[in-house]
Amino acid sequence: EIVLTQSPGTLSLSPGERATLSCRASQSVGSNYLAWYQQKPGQAPRLAIYGASSRATGIPDRFSGSGSGTDFTLTINRLEPEDFAVYYCHQYGSSPRTFGQGTKVEVK
Amino acid sequence: EVHLVESGGGLVQPGGSLRLSCAASGFSFSSYSMHWVRQAPGKGLEYVSGIGSAGHITYYANSVEDRFTISRDNSKNMLYLQMGSLRAEDTAVYHCARKDTVMLTLDSWGQGTLVTVSS
């Protein structure tokens, strides 16, 4: 199975700053089927990015995804208070689907 | 609006069994592949299992294969997860999720049901 490794584990930033999250796959993700999910405490995950770079419905344009093959990035420009959460990458190009271990974006 | 509500969680002894259910509404259930994803307390997301729209194709994580069985009843808009030979490491909140037909990933999730495996 494809192992996804996210870095850093925790990102401490202030509102208005830029967050850059990394997701590295142990092998190439087929068709760049890589998604990013946002999860807040006590809530279900929310889809933010799919297909490595497409924003899901309702996701503001300060969120952007990039990358291909084995290296992917989620960038959040000008962090808003509601963006502080845990973010998971998820590959759905190979069975079984797998998730990264998560990156927590916390208030500095 | 898509609505997914899980039930059936609870406390079970190691080696025991439990069946989780997921009630779906707000969309044409029989047209969508459905999946289970779990989250151990304070930990990350772990894919568990999935099933095709007609119920003929199933997927399992290595950690649950041969112990868990996924199924669905399209006449009742219900998804199930039969869990057996439960272990302490199966303790988690279990979410059901819908796979979108365009985005091809999990776009709608339920709030989850907690399964605790302990003696």
Side-chain angles (χ1 to χ4, degrees), chain B residues 16-98:
Chain B
S17 299
L18 206 59
R19 188 176 88 151
L20 305 183
S21 300
C22 172
S25 60
F27 65 103
S28 178
F29 180 74
S30 62
S31 297
Y32 290 81
S33 166
M34 297 295 296
H35 300 259
W36 289 96
V37 177
R38 69 185 180 184
Q39 188 166 30
K43 303 298 183 183
L45 301 171
E46 181 187 13
Y47 181 78
V48 175
S49 183
I51 187 167
S53 58
H56 302 312
I57 300 174
T58 58
Y59 312 88
Y60 296 95
N62 294 338
S63 58
V64 306
E65 195 149 27
D66 300 329
R67 299 189 299 123
F68 289 10
T69 301
I70 190 171
S71 63
R72 64 191 296 163
D73 185 337
N74 286 345
S75 69
K76 296 181 179 178
N77 290 352
M78 294 293 294
L79 174 71
Y80 304 102
L81 185 68
Q82 179 68 47
M83 304 186 296
S85 302
L86 284 163
R87 307 165 181 166
E89 53 266 35
D90 295 318
T91 294
V93 172
Y94 285 72
H95 298 274
C96 66
R98 182 187 81 165

Side-chain angles (χ1 to χ4, degrees), chain A residues 36-86:
Chain A
W36 291 92
Y37 290 87
Q38 175 193 72
Q39 188 179 34
K40 298 179 181 179
Q43 296 185 16
R46 178 190 184 193
L47 178 64
I49 299 288
Y50 66 96
S53 59
S54 298
R55 276 188 303 277
T57 303
I59 299 299
D61 60 9
R62 62 181 180 272
F63 286 80
S64 64
S66 62
S68 64
T70 60
D71 289 293
F72 299 88
T73 300
L74 173 68
T75 302
I76 312 170
N77 288 310
R78 303 178 308 279
L79 279 165
E80 295 285 342
E82 61 268 26
D83 300 335
F84 292 92
V86 179

